């Protein structure tokens, strides 16, 4: 299925360049045949990788012809040389593609602090450019994987004024994922045409509703980058609110689905859980409670242990730093009410909730009964494999 | 050694009451023969267990004769009945001891949301009171353990005006430990005499320097309670700054040592690591960086894997939400400089740091080189056993 995902006017590729391991795709390219309008969201970590610094400069022009990305090395904390390497990486791609250097963006993901093996990238670029094809998005998706176990790729189409547009996107996640961030790397290609401002607004909105709602381990990457490229190939131009809202909705769906794929494939994760907070007196408070529960290691290990331990959930809600009234809180596992007014609903409810918690995907709803605001976060469980993966990852 | 810890005028006991498990000490008592002046620090979780609510009332009088404590059940989220049970628990002890009910404090630790088996406690109180003895602190220490693997107990003496005073203390920890909190349960007995205000100030200072610096899993208990009882038995009265500072120093040492014992015995922990931030432009910023690193699951799993992965440390420092200049940061593992000006110091430094990280206890220093302020937090690694313990704890 993944093989057939394409977006008109975009080619992509992924090849093995032996950046960290031999014989595994680790260098990818997304190429728009005509210069695309571009919008981006970048990490808010104060420590920013060299490619992020470069892209934040280049995005000011609003034009992007290609994105070259590697896994296996984050090119972060690599000083002046690291920045030069990011510039070179773009230059190699630009010259092989015959486009202006300033229109090539760069993304890297992997270990922090190791020098980028730029010679290996230089040697692999000709092969990379030669393998560009319309159906290459799945190769790009593979090339940006680190601890991901499956590539993440998706496309959706929509209609505006009787014409069809496409949004195709790929992302990689797995670790160092928390909200108030884009996620690690995500490249979105679309064939609509829109102003740079419109694109930026719509991307910002969608990221807020998708990647900014998810948490895997509460850590924030130094390399997070979401780029949206729009090449106009469909002949559709976004010029009015009706078109804007159709495109926004489709973009939301694409990024939301990718965000859920990231959590499902979170490092060691065995469950995806929506943490829904309702009845809050403000959106900020709803968000604070949702993320405190979603980040709690005690909640996440209980999810892994399939123990419907609501005491840990209410305990986390209570330390969110916002006013809650413990004696009013209700908690549901899907439709099963486990807690009413801060107290357990008894053994029958507990038994039912225990069947819910065995599901691979379910919802925990926390009703604060203090107001009308709601927010939902998406989390996963915290497993023995998470620890194994992260105790061993670098070595 | 633990058997011999005593504090003049205090008796203690611990017995098995089958609160959660059979044949394991789970009910403890600390008894001051004369009414003691008392100071306390309690959880700032909005969800507070019934005994915490009761103690917060009773501490207003400043007088405490006894503390009755149980493990196996937190008596939290147990509603009106839970509060009544806490009152009854104090009443049973008061009547068996022949002291006023208002001078008996209560503490509970264990699972949240289950009704307290108050009948079992009632039945066990006579045996508990009968086993009170000067050397009983170690029995109390055992009775408050939950996932702790060893009891934590310590005493120190000091001299004021040629007279000797003693501070003896016990604490339990293991999980739901994070700063801006006391810790789970800690009872401190001393034979000095001091005003309630003096005691409160000194306790607050010591807690700030000890329990508020530690983090095991970033979760905050609903039951955290530190009580300091002073009975005046030594004939020393704290009336001037010199005496105050001698006592403060000894109290600091006692609580600091207990705090380190809690981290060493953190759930699944194999290492104790001091995270020292220097060169910050403000104390708040130093603290924010120290705790962001100390809480980071990626840092903690790397510690468990004995991987000197400084990229995760600098990555966590960068997301602390305060200004840092990545290009100025130095990082040391004990005396080994691993990072200078945001870049790795090479393979030799990495090899040396790798020997440091194999130690059971060491320091990671992060020098921000932006100012003169410093702060240190104490953390442990994050192991497979932490997940196992917390996936299985309730069942």
């Amino acid at each position: 299925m993944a093989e057939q995902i394409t977006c008109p006017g975009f080619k992509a590729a992924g090849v093995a360049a032996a950046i960290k391991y031999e014989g595994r795709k680790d260098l990818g390219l997304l190429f728009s045949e005509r210069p695309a309008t571009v919008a981006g969201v970048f990490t808010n970590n104060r420590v920013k990788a060299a490619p992020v610094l470069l892209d934040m400069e280049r995005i000011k022009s609003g034009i992007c012809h290609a994105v070259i990305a590697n896994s296996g090395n984050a090119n972060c904390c690599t000083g002046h040389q690291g920045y030069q390497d990011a510039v070179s990486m773009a230059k190699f791609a630009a010259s092989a593609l015959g486009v202006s250097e300033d229109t090539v963006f760069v993304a890297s993901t992997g270990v922090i602090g190791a020098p980028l093996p730029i010679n290996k990238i230089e040697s692999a670029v000709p092969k990379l450019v030669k393998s560009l094809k319309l159906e290459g998005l799945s190769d790009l998706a593979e090339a940006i994987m680190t601890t991901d176990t499956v590539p993440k790729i998706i496309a959706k189409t929509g209609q505006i004024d009787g014409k069809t547009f496409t949004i195709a996107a790929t992302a990689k996640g797995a670790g160092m994922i928390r909200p108030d961030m884009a996620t690690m790397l995500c490249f979105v290609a679309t064939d609509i045409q829109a102003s740079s401002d419109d694109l930026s607004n719509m991307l910002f909105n969608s990221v807020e509703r998708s990647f900014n709602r998810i948490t895997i381990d509460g850590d924030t990457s130094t390399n997070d980058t979401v780029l949206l490229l729009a090449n106009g190939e469909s002949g559709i131009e976004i010029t009015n609110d009706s078109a804007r809202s159709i495109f926004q909705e489709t973009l939301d769906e694409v990024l939301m689905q990718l965000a859920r794929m990231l959590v499902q494939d979170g490092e060691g994760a065995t469950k995806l859980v929506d943490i829904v907070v309702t009845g809050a007196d403000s959106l900020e408070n709803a968000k604070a409670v949702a993320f405190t529960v979603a980040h709690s290691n005690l909640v996440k290990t209980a999810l892994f242990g399939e123990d419907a331990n609501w005491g840990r959930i209410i305990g986390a809600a209570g330390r969110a730093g916002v006013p809650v009234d413990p004696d009013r809180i209700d908690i549901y596992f899907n439709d099963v009410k486990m807690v009413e007014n801060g107290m357990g609903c008894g053994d029958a409810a507990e038994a039912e909730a225990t069947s819910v918690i065995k599901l691979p995907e379910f919802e925990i709803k926390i009703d604060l009964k203090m107001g009308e605001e709601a927010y939902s976060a998406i989390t996963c469980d915290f497993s023995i494999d998470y620890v194994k993966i992260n105790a061993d990852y670098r070595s």
Side-chain angles (χ1 to χ4, degrees), chain A residues 61-108:
Chain A
S61 74
I63 302 296
C64 175
H65 233 315
V67 184
I68 181 165
N70 72 279
S71 59
N73 186 306
N75 193 10
C76 180
C77 297
T78 42
H80 183 67
Q81 185 59 49
Y83 190 82
Q84 283 311 312
D85 288 343
V87 170
S88 299
M89 209 166 142
K91 192 185 294 185
F92 301 146
S95 111
L97 291 165
V99 301
S100 155
E101 191 183 329
D102 296 349
T103 64
V104 179
F105 287 56
V106 180
S108 297

Side-chain angles (χ1 to χ4, degrees), chain A residues 77-372:
Chain A
C77 297
T78 42
H80 183 67
Q81 185 59 49
Y83 190 82
Q84 283 311 312
D85 288 343
V87 170
S88 299
M89 209 166 142
K91 192 185 294 185
F92 301 146
S95 111
L97 291 165
V99 301
S100 155
E101 191 183 329
D102 296 349
T103 64
V104 179
F105 287 56
V106 180
S108 297
T109 177
V111 67
I112 297 174
L116 190 70
I118 188 70
N119 295 339
K120 292 183 179 175
I121 292 174
E122 184 173 16
S123 315
V125 162
K127 184 174 53 170
L128 181 69
V129 170
K130 200 179 290 175
S131 37
L132 279 173
K133 55 182 177 189
L134 286 171
E135 310 77 24
L137 276 171
S138 59
D139 294 325
L140 170 61
E142 274 184 61
I144 58 176
M145 288 165 65
T146 51
T147 53
D148 305 65
T149 64
V150 288
K152 284 109 188 155
I153 182 166
I154 179 181
K156 286 201 185 281
T157 55
Q159 295 246 330
I160 294 177
D161 297 333
K163 289 183 195 159
T164 300
F165 69 89
T166 300
I167 303 179
T170 177
K172 60 85 49 186
M176 268 203 178
I177 304 286
R178 76 173 270 144
D180 289 332
M181 269 291 115
T183 179
M184 292 201 70
L185 298 183
C186 175
F187 307 125
V188 190
T190 181
D191 55 0
I192 58 112
Q193 185 171 345
S195 73
S196 185
D197 281 354
D198 259 350
L199 272 191
S200 293
N201 288 338
M202 292 189 290
L203 181 63
F204 179 86
N205 290 341
S206 282
V207 165
E208 191 55 31
R209 292 168 197 157
S210 57
F211 299 125
N212 282 357
R213 276 187 199 275
I214 68 176
T215 177
I216 292 173
D217 56 11
D219 260 297
T220 293
S221 159
T222 48
N223 289 54
D224 295 351
T225 300
V226 183
L227 292 173
L228 166 61
L229 280 65
N231 69 1
E233 191 87 15
S234 65
I236 303 172
E237 192 175 349
I238 305 271
T239 49
N240 59 51
D241 281 347
S242 149
R244 230 169 254 125
S245 93
I246 291 169
F247 184 78
Q248 179 80 67
E249 198 177 311
T250 314
L251 186 62
D252 284 358
E253 283 171 19
V254 167
L255 296 199
M256 197 62 216
Q257 208 157 320
L258 276 176
R260 296 183 81 84
M261 287 163 88
L262 290 190
V263 178
Q264 264 157 350
D265 194 30
E267 287 175 347
T270 71
K271 286 175 195 305
L272 179 148
V273 183
D274 288 282
I275 306 290
V276 181
V277 174
T278 59
D281 53 4
S282 73
L283 181 62
E284 294 68 49
N285 291 354
K287 210 167 167 175
V289 172
F291 277 124
T292 307
V293 174
H295 285 319
S296 162
N297 285 336
L298 285 173
V299 171
K300 287 160 72 79
T301 47
L303 293 175
F304 173 62
E306 300 189 333
D307 175 10
N309 192 333
W310 59 267
R312 295 187 183 173
I313 298 169
I314 203 167
R319 70 168 173 88
V322 302
V324 300
D325 179 352
D327 297 335
R328 270 199 274 182
I329 295 176
D330 295 348
I331 298 176
Y332 300 77
F333 279 51
N334 279 348
D335 294 332
V336 181
K337 192 187 241 186
M338 272 209 86
V339 175
E340 184 169 313
N341 297 324
M343 290 178 62
C345 293
D347 291 348
E350 175 122 6
E352 281 186 76
T354 302
S355 350
V356 174
I357 206 174
K358 293 188 191 303
L359 301 171
E361 212 171 311
F362 61 96
E363 175 185 297
I364 295 177
K365 187 170 94 179
I366 303 158
D367 188 354
L368 301 176
K369 297 197 287 191
M370 298 176 80
E372 299 296 320

